Amino acid sequence: TAPLNVLLIIVDDLRPSLGCYGDKLVRSPNIDQLASHSLLFQNAFAQQAVCAPSRVSFLTGRRPDTTRLYDFNSYWRVHAGNFSTLPQYFKENGYVTMSVGKVFHPGISSNYSDDSPYSWSIPPYHPSSEKYENTKTCRGPDGELHANLLCPVDIADVPEGTLPDKQSTEQAIRLLEKTKTSTRPFFLAVGYHKPHIPFRYPKEFQKLYPLENITLAPDPEVPAGLPPVAYNPWMDIRQREDVQALNLSVPYGPIPVDFQRKIRQSYFASISYLDTQVGHLLSALDDLQLANSTIIVFASDHGWALGEHGEWAKYSNFDITTRVPLMFYVPGRTAPLPEAGEKLFPYIDPFSSVQELMEPGRQVTDLVELLSLSPTLAGLAGLHVPPRCPVPSFHVELCREGQNLMKHFQVEDVEGDPHLRG
Amino acid sequence: NPRESIAYSQYPRPADSPQWNSDKPSLKDIKVMGYSIRTIDYRYTVWVGFSPHEFLANFSDVHAGELYFVDSDPLQDHNMYNDSQGKDLLQHLMP
């Protein structure tokens, strides 16, 4: 009967290229293991395929036309309305709310404060090594350091000898350890930066994806019938030194096929690196005996085009850029409560040759919106689900424009299984 | 009924043709908004005139349309908007 804790994992620019979404190439054993104990939404879509608008939308539970944030340059509380946020709602319901890494998009869109103090009980944590993310830390074929798109690194070689997501995992584990002595439930949001560009990851992960195994996108040409207004000219990756050196034509490129394969290789390698960080975080949660009292949500803010339709990056309405991974682990509801000492999330090394097939968890194919994350999470935690918003709702602080997805969590035969929480 | 599940997305553009700020137009430069409706059968998108001052989309000012059918074109490479009276569908879907 104690309130459930919440661990919200948000991954930047992650499309559902994961084993649990049917991807045969990508090694994501720890995320797949989470999925095997979760309810997985096969068709979840972001409301706008770019960071700040998507994050403000699902964290306030309002559509972009209500937050009026289509770019990066306004703070909804000043610009549109004093909308309450998901963490704020939990904080007002007695939770200790904490932010690690990239949860809100930094800068104006979260008031240069990750929307503190409204959303968070303690100052949000940002990894110190993030400041090197876009600097010249990528060793090129010439042996010099560059600010490249493709940036496999030797950890020993980079400033501070670490990477932002590693630091975020370490901080999140420290916070979990501290909650063990707290009487109040926690809401911990962990925002991972990879696979957002630059693809800066420990270079050993490249070995998981030998170039000869990397294909092009199944449809690498710009479709004949695509209206020019719909096309995203992927201007961001063109700023990177290694892409600039290709002297690509604007706006349609194309990128030489060998470099296309390298981009895809590094995106997948970044995913496996991210998977190890999620694995360390979840196994620490397990070791602290918190797996039976914590809801875990795994999602991303939008997808990413890897050459499909001749496009790269996000910035469009295609499914490839709006479809996101979305899964909820709810102890005693999506999986039986673990027995004493049983491990649900032991760390799995993506390099281990034995990649046991993971039993998939329950899946939902209905289309759902990322907007539904906040009302659904409130309901799963036993909080009152905020009411539907009137139209317009600029004057309403607490309401929701997304559906409550609780109907998908009904357990078939609660009576049949004493383990399942009623 | 899974057929009833719908997901909406949108994306802004500064112009009808790709240009340097097409990916991330600032609010003041947004001239067009692409609104998408997704069901398990299709994705329908209309790119309509948008006023960043009134925050108003003009569904009578359609700059372009997209219509992809999931079963026959899962990768969304064959835009059927012009071929299948997409415009009529818009009238039908008008809020």
Side-chain angles (χ1 to χ4, degrees):
Chain A
T1 54
L4 289 172
N5 303 306
V6 174
L7 173 60
L8 170 61
I9 300 173
I10 304 289
V11 183
D12 211 3
D13 292 22
L14 176 64
R15 66 193 241 164
S17 294
L18 298 165
C20 51
Y21 276 86
D23 194 299
K24 298 284 182 288
L25 177 72
V26 173
R27 292 275 188 101
S28 55
N30 293 286
I31 298 166
D32 299 347
Q33 178 174 246
L34 172 61
S36 69
H37 300 301
S38 301
L39 181 65
L40 181 143
F41 288 88
Q42 276 285 353
N43 290 300
F45 291 89
Q47 274 51 71
Q48 184 174 333
V50 72
C51 304
S54 174
R55 288 165 184 264
V56 168
S57 173
F58 73 76
L59 288 169
T60 60
R62 311 293 179 101
R63 295 184 185 284
D65 279 342
T66 303
T67 65
R68 291 181 161 173
L69 181 69
Y70 310 112
D71 58 14
F72 293 71
N73 307 322
S74 63
Y75 178 46
W76 74 90
R77 293 188 194 272
V78 171
H79 182 70
N82 189 27
F83 310 143
S84 182
T85 68
L86 173 64
Q88 177 183 357
Y89 189 58
F90 274 80
K91 182 179 174 187
E92 289 165 356
N93 279 277
Y95 279 71
V96 176
T97 60
M98 304 169 281
S99 169
V100 171
K102 182 176 178 179
V103 179
F104 282 99
H105 190 82
I108 306 174
S109 63
S110 58
N111 202 27
Y112 297 101
S113 68
D114 301 283
D115 193 46
S116 285
Y118 295 100
S119 288
W120 309 109
S121 306
I122 61 173
Y125 169 88
H126 288 283
S128 59
S129 62
E130 196 185 331
K131 58 180 167 294
Y132 305 107
E133 201 53 11
N134 295 300
T135 59
K136 292 177 181 282
T137 61
C138 320
R139 200 159 295 282
D142 58 4
E144 298 301 316
L145 290 175
H146 299 276
N148 285 344
L149 171 67
L150 311 183
C151 192
V153 293
D154 180 341
I155 290 278
D157 205 13
V158 298
E160 298 186 18
T162 186
L163 294 172
D165 289 342
K166 278 176 170 291
Q167 288 184 294
S168 292
T169 300
E170 291 155 5
Q171 173 65 8
I173 292 172
R174 280 192 289 270
L175 291 173
L176 287 176
E177 288 161 350
K178 283 186 184 163
T179 62
K180 283 297 282 181
T181 56
S182 166
T183 55
R184 287 167 60 192
F186 68 80
F187 176 107
L188 172 60
V190 182
Y192 285 112
H193 289 78
K194 293 309 142 193
H196 188 291
I197 64 169
F199 301 134
R200 186 167 178 258
Y201 57 89
K203 63 185 180 185
E204 54 269 22
F205 285 90
Q206 219 170 31
K207 296 189 193 96
L208 292 172
Y209 303 98
L211 263 184
E212 56 270 21
N213 297 352
I214 305 296
T215 62
L216 295 184
D219 53 346
E221 310 298 332
V222 178
L226 182 67
V229 68
Y231 176 78
N232 125 52
W234 33 281
M235 302 308 278
D236 55 353
I237 68 170
R238 296 172 192 262
Q239 323 294 325
R240 306 283 164 171
E241 287 183 46
D242 49 350
V243 181
Q244 276 180 347
L246 300 172
N247 281 319
L248 301 173
S249 85
V250 180
Y252 295 107
I255 293 178
V257 293
D258 67 312
F259 201 85
Q260 289 192 39
R261 297 227 300 279
K262 287 178 180 172
I263 295 176
R264 291 169 63 89
Q265 176 192 47
S266 277
Y267 184 84
F268 299 142
S270 300
I271 292 179
S272 292
Y273 161 56
L274 161 83
D275 179 78
T276 62
Q277 296 311 307
V278 173
H280 290 309
L281 175 60
L282 295 184
S283 66
L285 184 93
D286 227 350
D287 294 345
L288 291 163
Q289 278 92 46
L290 289 170
N292 60 357
S293 59
T294 303
I295 295 170
I296 303 168
V297 188
F298 182 90
S300 88
D301 55 353
H302 50 72
W304 216 78
L306 283 169
E308 293 83 358
H309 315 109
E311 292 191 348
W312 303 87
K314 48 255 191 187
Y315 314 124
S316 81
N317 270 326
F318 274 114
D319 286 16
I320 207 83
T321 58
T322 49
R323 187 163 167 255
V324 294
L326 176 62
M327 62 185 90
F328 295 78
Y329 161 76
V330 186
R333 193 189 278 257
T334 60
L337 290 173
E339 304 287 349
E342 178 192 0
K343 293 290 185 212
L344 281 186
F345 307 114
Y347 177 74
I348 305 174
D349 181 352
F351 288 91
S352 70
S353 53
V354 178
Q355 290 292 318
E356 58 182 80
L357 266 185
M358 208 67 72
E359 184 66 33
R362 280 170 53 209
Q363 314 211 345
V364 173
T365 55
D366 287 14
L367 272 73
V368 298
E369 297 180 304
L370 206 42
L371 202 57
S372 298
L373 192 160
S374 48
T376 305
L377 188 50
L380 290 170
L383 304 185
H384 178 69
V385 176
R388 300 281 296 185
C389 291
V391 179
S393 64
F394 301 110
H395 56 295
V396 181
E397 290 193 9
L398 180 60
C399 66
R400 60 181 168 95
E401 289 188 306
Q403 282 195 28
N404 174 6
L405 303 177
M406 286 286 281
K407 65 183 177 188
H408 295 293
F409 289 81
Q410 300 315 321
V411 177
E412 277 83 31
D413 56 354
V414 173
E415 295 69 36
D417 186 333
H419 294 296
L420 291 179
R421 192 186 285 261
Chain B
N1 174 354
R3 269 182 165 58
E4 287 165 1
S5 54
I6 287 179
Y8 296 96
S9 297
Q10 64 190 89
Y11 209 84
R13 292 284 190 236
D16 285 342
S17 299
Q19 58 186 47
W20 68 274
N21 63 339
S22 288
D23 292 345
K24 292 190 277 191
S26 294
L27 175 60
K28 62 181 173 44
D29 298 325
I30 297 173
K31 300 288 184 299
V32 186
M33 187 68 80
Y35 285 96
S36 287
I37 293 181
R38 261 183 200 81
T39 73
I40 54 176
D41 293 320
Y42 63 83
R43 187 234 316 168
Y44 181 81
T45 300
V46 279
W47 295 88
V48 298
F50 185 85
S51 159
H53 312 294
E54 283 80 36
F55 291 95
L56 277 184
N58 180 354
F59 280 82
S60 314
D61 172 19
V62 179
H63 292 222
E66 295 174 86
L67 178 59
Y68 307 101
F69 292 101
V70 173
D71 286 349
S72 55
D73 179 21
L75 299 180
Q76 304 182 353
D77 288 310
H78 307 288
N79 183 6
M80 305 297 286
Y81 178 81
N82 292 321
D83 309 353
S84 64
Q85 308 310 315
K87 306 173 188 63
D88 300 352
L89 189 54
L90 174 64
Q91 293 312 321
H92 174 64
L93 290 171
M94 280 290 272

